């Protein structure tokens, strides 16, 4: 789950936003355009987005500590009325983020 704030370069918050996933879940670099659900409050610019990222896991006996040893990311394009679209990577365990969009 990722949380944060989206704002314009002038400090205002977009009226609406859309998230589109542009890579597949196995991170093969395939061009996608998958609409993603996002909860967004235009008054505060706060958003909540739930993403699934790739993780490789090893439980073998020869491992000092079983657990994930590789995690991926999700590549998201953000679109908002009156602003340029922005593509960025979200990784697992990211803290609360602030995303600034450039006005058109």
């Amino acid at each position: 789950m990722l949380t944060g704030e989206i704002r314009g370069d002038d400090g205002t918050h977009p009226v609406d936003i859309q998230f589109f996933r542009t890579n597949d879940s196995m991170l093969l670099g395939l061009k996608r355009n998958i609409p993603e659900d996002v909860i967004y409050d235009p008054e505060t610019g706060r958003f909540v987005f739930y993403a699934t990222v790739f993780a490789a896991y090893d439980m073998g006996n020869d491992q000092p500590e079983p657990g994930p040893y590789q995690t991926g990311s999700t590549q998201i394009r953000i679109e908002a009325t009156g602003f340029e679209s922005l593509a960025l990577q979200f990784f697992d365990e990211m803290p609360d983020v602030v995303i600034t969009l450039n006005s058109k």
Side-chain angles (χ1 to χ4, degrees), residues 31-51:
K31 296 287 183 186
R32 304 292 175 140
N33 193 41
I34 304 166
E36 294 286 339
D37 292 330
V38 60
I39 298 170
Y40 177 67
D41 178 6
E43 263 186 52
T44 64
R46 299 289 302 167
F47 74 92
V48 175
F49 171 62
Y50 182 78

Side-chain angles (χ1 to χ4, degrees), residues 5-19:
E5 177 188 353
I6 296 181
R7 59 181 162 203
D9 53 3
D10 61 358
T12 64
H13 298 111
V15 174
D16 58 0
I17 63 169
Q18 293 179 306
F19 279 20

Side-chain angles (χ1 to χ4, degrees), residues 20-83:
F20 296 92
R21 185 174 184 143
T22 60
N23 66 335
D24 70 357
S25 61
M26 292 303 293
L27 309 176
L28 298 176
L30 302 174
K31 296 287 183 186
R32 304 292 175 140
N33 193 41
I34 304 166
E36 294 286 339
D37 292 330
V38 60
I39 298 170
Y40 177 67
D41 178 6
E43 263 186 52
T44 64
R46 299 289 302 167
F47 74 92
V48 175
F49 171 62
Y50 182 78
T52 302
V53 297
F54 169 82
Y57 191 86
D58 188 356
M59 295 180 10
N61 292 334
D62 60 342
Q63 298 299 318
E65 227 177 278
Y69 63 89
Q70 178 185 7
T71 57
S73 63
T74 183
Q75 186 173 339
I76 298 294
R77 186 180 73 252
I78 301 171
E79 294 190 3
T81 303
F83 296 91

